[in-house]
Amino acid sequence: MRFLFLKLPALITRTLFYVAVFLSPVLGVWLASSLVAYINGPKLLTVFSGILLFPLVPILWDMRGRKRQKELGILTWGDRIVLRTLVLNLAFLFLLLALRPQTSFLALSTRGDWFLDGMYSPQAELARKGLFTAARSLEGLYLRFHDNPFDQYADTTQVKPQPAPQLRPTGQAGQAGQAKGWPWTEVGLHPAVVNMPTSAETSIESVAQYIASQEKDPMLRVKALHDYVADRIAYDAPNYFAGNYPPQDAEIVFQRRVAVCAGYAKLLEALGQAIGEEIVYVTGDSRNSTSDLEGQSHAWNAAKINGQWYLIDSTWDSGYVDRSTGFTKSYKTDYLFPPPEVMGISHLPEDENFQLRSQPISRGEFLRQPMMRAQFFAEGMKLVAPMRSQTDTNQTAVIQLQNPNQRWILSSYALKGSNQAEHCTDSASQGPQITCPLPGPGAYEVSLFSGDEQYGEFGYVGQVEFNRR
């Protein structure tokens, strides 16, 4: 017994060593192959990288140093190959994670199961869950290099909601026949905002008090506050594209009438505080129409109305931004009280409580969702397939959806990073399936547009990325 006790540490050390030797090339090939799949590289590159890491480079390394090894005569050939495999793969993993920590996390979280594509058995799903759980262990490294510049405006003492299923608004009639609740159908700016006299816009407090005096319904009152911010504030496109954010405090934004997302959210928060409405400032990441899987830092709001929490993004409801044309004003209500599952496709708060879900999703689950806009769901549509933000195909991109309201759908494709888009079909359709032939290998963004009429106006409602091999 004493002999076994003395040998135990050595046995444990040896076991851990061989586990490390076995896992290091496996992890190296997994990370390399996921990166290749993420950037739509050739799969042969994955196989080649695996052969390089083990056994080709360790053997070539050993052959080069054979003369010196004979002089030393300490380790066997097998020992040297094992040690060199371990050193090489650990160095590869360390360098890759050190140089590309965010890309590594994104690749593993979105394409870490690439070799299970098309497999949906219980065993495959269990393996997929394990792979994404392992990928999540790198989230801390990802966040270390992912600062949100809008966190500086957050109030750390604010009340935080408890995760709970969100109840939809009742759909009753409000002031001037406005429908209450999401989706808001044919509803414009609140009359209090439209008819507000200049004398009421002298301060944040006077604006809030005027709105409160004109609207007694709590939900419509918060809508009016949202409408004021979305209508009166212009997005600061030049500073946004320059990555230079001037102060976004509510008072400064109210005076300048120009802001980025933090300024919109802080002004809405301040308007609520002025009349006792519980509207809080929320920070996190958002994904927009560019199918950028990583997304970008963002700020929005949550409001507690009649004891129930709702989500609001007045920035996204104010208009849209383009690098060439700047900000274009276009009021809407897509992101005024949407269901958490709809908001959660494009918005991921740093505090998971503000997902307002009974079961919050992880960052990896957020990244793996196809990028559909709130309008897509507001029009009654549902995406059936694909269910991933990136999908491989041999030639044709196929999108399946439910379209109970018979909306007319147009689709287009473009190589990722290109501004030249081509229509998938000659005309719009109402069918449940959209087929988009892709002309050659590459990463493509397939965008969907919805309209009331076959030859009328169409609005952007979502995007899916396809990798043609």
Side-chain angles (χ1 to χ4, degrees):
M1 180 65 73
R2 184 179 179 183
F3 176 78
L4 290 175
F5 182 77
L6 293 174
K7 290 287 186 178
L8 188 60
L11 180 63
I12 293 174
T13 302
R14 189 176 184 84
T15 301
L16 292 175
F17 172 76
Y18 281 107
V19 168
V21 170
F22 171 75
L23 286 180
S24 61
V26 171
L27 293 175
V29 172
W30 180 43
L31 179 53
S33 65
S34 299
L35 284 167
V36 170
Y38 179 70
I39 63 173
N40 194 33
K43 290 188 177 179
L44 284 176
L45 181 60
T46 301
V47 177
F48 182 65
S49 66
I51 295 174
L52 281 178
L53 292 173
F54 178 78
L56 187 57
V57 173
I59 291 176
L60 292 175
W61 185 6
D62 184 76
M63 291 174 64
R64 185 174 181 180
R66 183 170 293 178
K67 183 177 180 180
R68 184 178 180 186
Q69 293 156 8
K70 286 182 178 180
E71 293 174 355
L72 294 174
I74 300 173
L75 300 175
T76 66
W77 181 84
D79 291 336
R80 295 194 303 270
I81 295 299
V82 168
L83 284 172
R84 283 175 170 152
T85 298
L86 179 62
V87 170
L88 181 68
N89 282 275
L90 289 178
F92 171 76
L93 286 168
F94 177 79
L95 287 174
L96 202 54
L97 293 175
L99 297 175
R100 293 289 185 270
Q102 292 179 291
T103 304
S104 296
F105 171 75
L106 292 170
L108 292 176
S109 295
T110 58
R111 300 309 308 277
D113 66 336
W114 65 268
F115 47 86
L116 296 175
D117 285 351
M119 301 171 61
Y120 302 102
S121 65
Q123 294 81 4
E125 290 302 316
L126 183 62
R128 188 173 280 113
K129 183 178 180 180
L131 291 169
F132 288 139
T133 299
R136 193 174 183 180
S137 63
L138 293 178
E139 185 172 354
L141 183 64
Y142 169 86
L143 293 174
R144 188 177 182 87
F145 297 92
H146 190 71
D147 294 330
N148 189 329
F150 309 126
D151 283 342
Q152 61 181 301
Y153 301 104
D155 181 3
T156 57
T157 63
Q158 68 185 19
V159 176
K160 298 181 179 181
Q162 294 298 316
Q166 186 190 49
L167 301 176
R168 285 201 179 188
T170 60
Q172 298 171 353
Q175 180 173 330
Q178 293 180 324
K180 289 170 54 178
W182 190 93
W184 303 83
T185 305
E186 299 181 359
V187 174
L189 289 168
H190 192 282
V193 176
V194 175
N195 302 318
M196 185 176 296
T198 304
S199 59
E201 295 193 66
T202 56
S203 69
I204 292 175
E205 290 74 16
S206 63
V207 169
Q209 292 295 338
Y210 176 81
I211 288 175
S213 69
Q214 298 296 307
E215 180 57 73
K216 302 305 180 183
D217 182 280
M219 184 160 288
L220 292 176
R221 190 159 57 239
V222 173
K223 178 189 182 298
L225 298 177
H226 156 276
D227 290 358
Y228 180 85
V229 175
D231 181 66
R232 297 297 202 271
I233 307 302
Y235 195 83
D236 193 355
N239 279 315
Y240 165 72
F241 287 117
N244 176 37
Y245 306 119
Q248 299 294 307
D249 301 282
E251 192 60 47
I252 293 176
V253 170
F254 180 78
Q255 296 297 330
R256 294 179 63 235
R257 301 300 172 100
V258 175
V260 294
C261 58
Y264 280 81
K266 291 303 292 183
L267 179 56
L268 183 53
E269 178 189 48
L271 286 168
Q273 289 176 348
I275 53 174
E277 296 290 349
E278 191 168 356
I279 302 176
V280 299
Y281 177 86
V282 180
T283 59
D285 291 333
S286 67
R287 301 184 300 159
N288 55 31
S289 60
T290 63
S291 83
D292 180 6
L293 296 184
E294 181 179 359
Q296 54 190 301
S297 298
H298 192 47
W300 59 97
N301 296 99
K304 190 176 184 180
I305 307 171
N306 294 327
Q308 180 66 50
W309 284 94
Y310 298 93
L311 298 167
I312 308 171
D313 191 338
S314 56
T315 308
W316 282 27
D317 280 346
S318 67
Y320 57 90
V321 176
D322 182 83
R323 188 175 290 273
S324 58
T325 59
F327 174 68
T328 300
K329 184 177 179 179
S330 179
Y331 167 82
K332 52 186 176 294
T333 52
D334 292 359
Y335 294 92
L336 176 62
F337 312 148
E341 293 76 15
V342 171
M343 190 77 159
I345 288 177
S346 54
H347 295 64
L348 182 72
E350 293 177 10
D351 183 346
E352 68 175 20
N353 288 326
F354 282 109
Q355 291 185 32
L356 303 187
R357 298 178 187 238
S358 56
Q359 295 294 328
I361 62 173
S362 67
R363 185 175 295 272
E365 290 172 309
F366 170 74
L367 296 171
R368 290 192 292 274
Q369 299 175 114
M371 182 53 239
M372 311 308 292
R373 301 283 287 194
Q375 187 62 29
F376 178 84
F377 302 97
E379 293 175 355
M381 290 182 284
K382 179 181 179 182
L383 188 66
V384 177
M387 295 305 294
R388 297 285 286 272
S389 52
Q390 272 193 356
T391 303
D392 289 343
T393 181
N394 292 325
Q395 182 176 3
T396 303
V398 178
I399 299 174
Q400 297 178 337
L401 50 85
Q402 294 178 5
N403 186 11
N405 295 330
Q406 294 294 290
R407 299 287 298 174
W408 290 97
I409 305 295
L410 269 178
S411 55
S412 66
Y413 67 88
L415 279 169
K416 192 172 183 180
S418 171
N419 293 323
Q420 296 182 345
E422 300 288 341
H423 289 301
C424 295
T425 55
D426 293 334
S427 61
S429 71
Q430 296 174 306
Q433 180 167 299
I434 297 167
T435 302
C436 194
L438 304 177
Y444 292 86
E445 295 171 342
V446 178
S447 300
L448 303 181
F449 304 85
S450 170
D452 298 322
E453 301 176 1
Q454 186 174 10
Y455 300 104
E457 294 184 356
F458 286 77
Y460 171 82
V461 293
Q463 191 174 73
V464 181
E465 187 172 314
F466 287 88
N467 294 330
R468 179 178 171 182
R469 297 297 184 181

